[in-house]
Amino acid sequence: MNLTNEFRQKVRLALIEARQNYGGSDSDFSKSKGIKPSIYSRLKNGEMERILSDTTWISLGRELQVNVFEDNWRVARTAVYSEIEDNLNFCAALSKSMVLVDDCGIGKTFCTKHIIKKMKNTFYIDCSQAKSKQQFIRLLSKTLGIDNQGRYSDVKANLKYYITTLEKPLIILDEAGDLEYNAFLELKELWNGTDGACGWYMIGADGLRVKIQKGISNKKVGFAEIFSRFSDEYVKLVPNGKLDRTIFYSQLISDVANANLEDRTKTKMLVNQCIKKETTLRYLETLIKIGI
């Protein structure tokens, strides 16, 4: 493996930037990133040579979303971006909980990751990477910077307590529909153990809505209680009516295209192409990047 100094420097700077939004100590922050506090201290002081393995550099780069090559895709302040920003600020400020369930490909995850870069004590979990309750609780513990090894019950107890020691924490559960039943059920315990001290924001597509509704309809333990704790309603941005959906998507695609096109005379053509194929922003990104 031959990692460049440029890549290491990007990771180092991303690590220092991430530290600014972490409310705990340097030691806790280091644990959340899987490195020793002494190593973080040396990184902070500019050292990079022979203090981390290539695998650790890569793991940190992946976790901190460091791009090896420059990605010039620009963020557009769309209706989706503004709504999610309002939701996240509300949940963080008042320690409330909400569920966003909407179409795939409208930028939910992209916008969320961009918004929380500037939010203190905000933690993002991709639940598709930790579906079982063991994986979920241990990943959440690691993300917050506490020890995730040892007995499961101890890890979970420490997690609940630690959350209450942070100033206005917000935990985002993306792809929450991927959680297995036992993992999903843990949300109730976590919420109860941090009631009034932590905001929660669940994100998913139709699968999450179906999972919750099916659980409630079948009177499966936990679903009604969890939904109640997450405000008893779904946040949805895309209208249901055909005409309203077309108007919404046209504006969304147009906003993103205008932010990323050098020649804005192409915007209308790209919007029409995406609407005709009933595609998402991912398709638009492909079209723009291949130069259509």
Side-chain angles (χ1 to χ4, degrees):
M1 208 175 295
N2 186 24
L3 299 179
T4 64
N5 281 336
E6 183 184 6
F7 173 75
R8 291 190 179 96
Q9 179 69 347
K10 283 183 178 179
V11 174
R12 191 184 76 82
L13 293 176
L15 192 66
I16 292 170
E17 184 181 358
R19 172 66 183 98
Q20 293 172 7
N21 291 322
Y22 185 85
S25 65
D26 276 4
S27 177
D28 291 338
F29 176 72
S30 304
K31 289 177 187 173
S32 76
K33 301 304 175 192
I35 58 177
K36 295 179 180 176
S38 59
I39 297 297
Y40 173 68
S41 178
R42 293 172 66 182
L43 286 167
K44 198 166 60 171
N45 291 328
E47 285 189 57
M48 293 191 297
E49 293 297 326
R50 298 189 184 90
I51 59 175
L52 291 175
S53 68
D54 285 351
T55 301
T56 304
W57 280 112
I58 290 172
S59 296
L60 286 170
R62 173 177 50 78
E63 187 175 338
L64 295 165
Q65 301 173 55
V66 173
N67 293 319
V68 178
F69 302 103
E70 289 297 327
D71 185 352
N72 295 320
W73 192 251
R74 301 185 189 96
V75 177
R77 183 167 281 276
T78 63
V80 173
Y81 188 103
S82 296
E83 180 69 26
I84 291 176
E85 186 175 47
D86 288 346
N87 290 174
L88 295 177
N89 285 330
F90 172 80
C91 289
L94 301 178
S95 299
K96 296 296 182 183
S97 305
M98 301 173 76
V99 188
L100 170 63
V101 173
D102 221 320
D103 292 0
C104 297
I106 62 171
K108 300 188 295 294
T109 297
F110 180 82
C111 293
T112 298
K113 287 183 175 179
H114 186 265
I115 293 164
I116 65 174
K117 283 182 178 178
K118 302 297 181 186
M119 292 181 70
K120 192 173 181 181
N121 285 340
T122 299
F123 306 95
Y124 174 91
I125 297 288
D126 179 354
C127 298
S128 70
Q129 305 301 312
K131 298 173 184 172
S132 72
K133 71 174 188 177
Q134 286 271 353
Q135 293 170 335
F136 173 61
I137 293 296
R138 292 185 191 279
L139 175 59
L140 185 53
S141 298
K142 177 182 178 296
T143 302
L144 266 69
I146 60 175
D147 189 0
N148 67 349
Q149 302 300 310
R151 286 201 312 171
Y152 177 77
S153 57
D154 291 338
V155 172
K156 188 166 62 174
N158 289 338
L159 172 62
K160 286 185 291 185
Y161 173 73
Y162 184 70
I163 289 173
T164 64
T165 69
L166 297 174
E167 181 184 359
K168 298 288 184 187
L170 172 63
I171 296 175
I172 297 163
L173 307 171
D174 199 1
E175 307 287 5
D178 285 9
L179 289 176
E180 295 175 359
Y181 173 60
N182 286 336
F184 196 77
L185 206 57
E186 296 291 38
L187 292 179
K188 178 181 166 184
E189 183 178 336
L190 291 175
W191 193 98
N192 287 350
T194 60
D195 183 13
C198 178
W200 297 84
Y201 195 67
M202 206 186 301
I203 303 174
D206 283 342
L208 176 58
R209 184 202 304 274
V210 170
K211 187 189 192 90
I212 294 173
Q213 289 307 115
K214 193 175 177 181
I216 293 173
S217 299
N218 293 335
K219 301 188 184 305
K220 205 165 182 178
V221 174
F223 280 92
E225 294 96 321
I226 291 170
F227 190 50
S228 172
R229 284 158 176 76
F230 279 77
S231 304
D232 269 326
E233 64 178 354
Y234 303 104
V235 175
K236 180 174 169 55
L237 310 176
V238 180
N240 291 322
K242 185 176 180 182
L243 178 59
D244 288 340
R245 284 177 64 87
T246 301
I247 293 172
F248 175 89
Y249 268 106
S250 296
Q251 186 63 55
L252 178 69
I253 295 166
S254 176
D255 289 343
V256 175
N258 281 334
N260 285 283
L261 282 171
E262 297 300 326
D263 179 5
R264 292 189 176 183
T265 61
K266 293 180 177 179
T267 297
K268 188 175 181 180
M269 177 269 292
L270 289 172
V271 170
N272 290 339
Q273 199 166 335
C274 291
I275 293 294
K276 186 178 178 182
K277 287 180 172 290
E278 297 185 347
T279 54
T280 66
L281 293 178
R282 293 190 181 95
Y283 184 67
L284 173 70
E285 183 178 1
T286 301
L287 292 179
I288 291 177
K289 286 186 174 178
I290 62 176
I292 289 181

